[in-house]
Amino acid sequence: MADGDKSLPGSIDESGARRFGALSGNTKGIKTHGEQPADGTGPAEPAISAEEPISVADEPASAELHADSTEPPAGPGELPPDPAELPPDVVEPQPEIRPLPRAGDLTSASEDAIVDPSEAILERIDLDSWKWPEYFAFSLTRMEELFPVGGIPRGIGSVRDLVTQEHDFRPLPIDRDKWSAADEDWSTVGDVLANTFTDAWLVTREGVALAEEYAWPMKPARQHMLFSISKSIVSTVVGALSDAGLLSPEDLVASRVPVLSESGYAGATIRDLLDMRSGIKFSEEYLEEGSEIRALFEAVDFAPRTATSANGIKNFLMGLTSEREHGGAFVYRSCETDVLAWICEAVVGQPFSVIASEYLWSKIGAAHAAQVCQDRWGGSIADGAISTTLRDLARFGEMIARGGTTAEGERVLSGNWIDDIFTGAADSAQVFADSPSGQSYPGGMYRSQFWVPSASRDVVIGIGIHGQMLYIDRATQTVGVKLSSDPQPVSLAHQHGTLAMFEAIAEAVPPKADSPAVPPVASAVEPAADLRSPAPTATAPTEAARSIAPQSLAAQPGIF
């Protein structure tokens, strides 16, 4: 949202008590199993896992749960009182912390019992308004309420543990010389976080969550739309199928999906799609009337349909034509990823969501299912509509950083497939340099639906519009995830700022073998920054940060 003090119109939260952008750490107010109250009296509280969803109605009424709030928590069916309106000598009593409800227990559906504002917000969201700034942060965490989805189960395997630590990285300086597109007023990690509409962020290293924060309505167990980071997940599923001998990157697309032999994809290989080097005519200009990406949105009901809209993603892909030879220039096209997902379905004979679970998601130690939006005909919108939790996306990144294995050494992807992502083909760097994107990331390349942002071949990233980023540094085993609801789809300033932020943290934390030292732990009573309004230590977004020149828009990753 453009300003952090604005409440959703007509929602229960008219007071702004639950502002978008008010960050709190993952473990605030969460007791470990058997922990006694501070005064040593009374029974131990039941354990509440950091991975469990805690609804507004069920949240422990601890003032520590929201690090940015010093006001007494609300009772059922009421808003927290405004401290400014309370007499100085009045102390609001703290409600008793209640255990989680037992499955099967019934409760009233009266208005007093409904305190979660999600229902009131959802009633105001439709096909036109779900991306409005006042609803956007909320919509991105409720895609299953707005569109059909296919679940990507986590399976029944063990969860990859992440030990939570809380360190204050906000004072760390960022390298603006290297990442020169970052806003000139940003000099620290805190500046980036405070000015880029962050919904949640996390940095992990070897099973330790070095920093982890959430802004309502995002929570540890809540899925968030990834936009084009979805592409990196899809390509990893393709890699797993290749490792299993079910397909080869050199296969012709039409040999796997024969119906595409009459489309522009005739003669293209799977590798052409992985590296976005097909000859398909496709404009990713989502602000341009008549562009293919806008037609894709209409086909899958992400935008209002017209008389010429295709009936679903597959019908849309069948109508695409080519305009150049396959295997040539790199041109960013979201449609390539949708064809890759279709190939996976054709090879295995199952929906993409089922395949992604079997070959990837059930193997990385995920704690929760992921999901992918679908059109009304059952086609998966795989190019940009996968949602995961913050921690599970980090677990995915850790698997890539470890060379394709789990923390226990079980292989998910071959080492050769992972190495190829980082090193690319002989001409990958050159065709990237010749593209508009080469100006934004000098020395970089694009390989297997991952971005390599610089001449270093130790870091790859996934980028999604509206501020999503997955950062993977295999040299230091550092993984960073930032999920956002930036109103503008593409900002090179925000991308460079986020890269500089993760790089600064990766360099500041020494490897375990060198030293256990880490930056100082943030004070438990220090309020978390409101990331959508200027923090005391951060500058407000400049006009340059809030907008992007039309000529640079074309050089950036597309709508998903």
Side-chain angles (χ1 to χ4, degrees), residues 331-346:
V331 179
Y332 191 89
R333 308 175 189 86
S334 287
C335 57
E336 313 283 56
T337 314
D338 293 310
V339 176
L340 290 173
W342 192 355
I343 290 171
C344 293
E345 293 180 339

Side-chain angles (χ1 to χ4, degrees), residues 470-534:
L470 168 64
Y471 174 94
I472 304 170
D473 182 344
R474 65 174 178 175
T476 65
Q477 291 293 295
T478 303
V479 173
V481 180
K482 185 174 183 293
L483 304 175
S484 312
S485 50
D486 191 340
Q488 58 176 328
V490 181
S491 168
L492 186 60
H494 292 187
Q495 289 178 17
H496 274 209
T498 302
L499 271 168
M501 175 185 80
F502 285 138
E503 187 175 85
I505 295 172
E507 293 175 352
V509 181
K512 286 183 179 179
D514 293 349
S515 169
V518 292
V521 178
S523 168
V525 298
E526 181 179 343
D530 182 343
L531 296 188
R532 291 181 181 82
S533 59

Side-chain angles (χ1 to χ4, degrees), residues 117-452:
S118 63
E119 187 169 336
I121 298 172
L122 283 168
E123 289 175 353
R124 290 164 173 80
I125 296 176
D126 57 26
L127 199 57
D128 290 312
S129 64
W130 74 276
K131 292 180 74 173
W132 289 358
E134 59 263 42
Y135 299 135
F136 197 36
F138 187 86
S139 297
L140 295 182
T141 65
R142 294 294 199 288
M143 297 306 290
E144 72 280 1
E145 300 276 2
L146 307 177
F147 303 100
V149 299
I152 304 175
R154 64 162 295 273
I156 58 174
S158 59
V159 174
R160 159 66 165 158
D161 288 333
L162 290 177
V163 178
T164 299
Q165 298 178 354
E166 295 188 34
H167 305 289
D168 185 10
F169 293 113
R170 281 176 168 78
L172 277 180
I174 61 174
D175 187 349
R176 289 203 65 263
D177 291 333
K178 178 176 181 180
W179 303 108
S180 57
D183 190 277
E184 61 183 9
D185 291 329
W186 303 347
S187 61
T188 66
V189 167
D191 292 337
V192 176
L193 288 172
N195 290 282
T196 55
F197 302 90
T198 310
D199 295 328
W201 75 292
L202 169 68
V203 178
T204 73
R205 178 176 291 177
E206 298 179 281
V208 176
L210 300 172
E212 180 178 11
E213 291 184 300
Y214 298 82
W216 188 87
M218 188 59 183
K219 292 182 180 181
R222 188 159 287 164
Q223 298 161 328
H224 190 288
M225 180 87 143
L226 303 183
F227 291 102
S228 271
I229 297 176
S230 305
K231 292 179 170 66
S232 302
I233 293 176
V234 172
S235 75
T236 303
V237 175
V238 173
L241 296 181
S242 177
D243 290 340
L246 297 177
L247 57 78
S248 166
E250 306 312 315
D251 290 345
L252 290 173
V253 170
S255 71
R256 295 301 184 178
V257 185
V259 70
L260 290 177
S261 61
E262 302 298 322
S263 74
Y265 282 105
T269 67
I270 293 175
R271 172 53 66 191
D272 292 335
L273 275 58
L274 286 166
D275 295 347
M276 296 203 178
R277 294 177 63 178
S278 80
I280 289 296
K281 180 182 183 297
F282 188 93
S283 169
E284 197 83 13
E285 295 292 338
Y286 37 85
L287 301 180
E288 180 182 302
E289 289 288 343
S291 66
E292 282 80 7
I293 190 62
R294 292 183 65 144
L296 187 155
F297 282 173
E298 294 172 10
V300 300
D301 293 318
F302 267 25
R305 298 176 63 81
T306 66
T308 60
S309 298
N311 292 330
I313 187 65
K314 293 179 180 178
N315 182 258
F316 170 81
L317 296 171
M318 291 167 58
L320 293 177
T321 60
S322 62
E323 62 179 359
R324 63 178 66 87
E325 292 293 322
H326 299 302
F330 163 74
V331 179
Y332 191 89
R333 308 175 189 86
S334 287
C335 57
E336 313 283 56
T337 314
D338 293 310
V339 176
L340 290 173
W342 192 355
I343 290 171
C344 293
E345 293 180 339
V347 167
V348 179
Q350 293 285 341
F352 177 78
S353 57
V354 174
I355 301 167
S357 172
E358 179 179 351
Y359 286 88
L360 175 65
W361 212 247
S362 63
K363 297 184 176 183
I364 63 171
H368 298 89
Q371 65 186 24
V372 58
C373 289
Q374 298 177 328
D375 59 43
R376 68 177 77 173
W377 295 270
S380 295
I381 311 167
D383 61 278
I386 293 177
S387 298
T388 73
T389 65
L390 183 76
R391 282 189 158 208
D392 282 347
L393 186 58
R395 292 176 172 110
F396 168 76
E398 282 191 331
M399 181 272 293
I400 301 294
R402 285 191 299 265
T405 67
T406 67
E408 293 74 30
E410 297 180 11
R411 185 149 299 279
V412 180
L413 280 175
S414 67
N416 288 339
W417 186 274
I418 297 294
D419 288 341
D420 183 75
I421 294 172
F422 285 87
T423 59
D427 63 344
S428 294
Q430 186 59 55
V431 297
F432 185 83
D434 293 340
S435 74
S437 298
Q439 303 170 24
S440 302
Y441 295 105
M445 65 180 184
Y446 190 88
R447 185 67 167 176
S448 293
Q449 311 268 299
F450 283 86
W451 298 82
V452 181

Side-chain angles (χ1 to χ4, degrees), residues 24-42:
S24 62
N26 179 36
T27 57
K28 291 289 192 293
I30 298 177
K31 300 177 183 295
T32 57
H33 182 66
E35 182 177 344
Q36 297 290 334
D39 61 3
T41 63

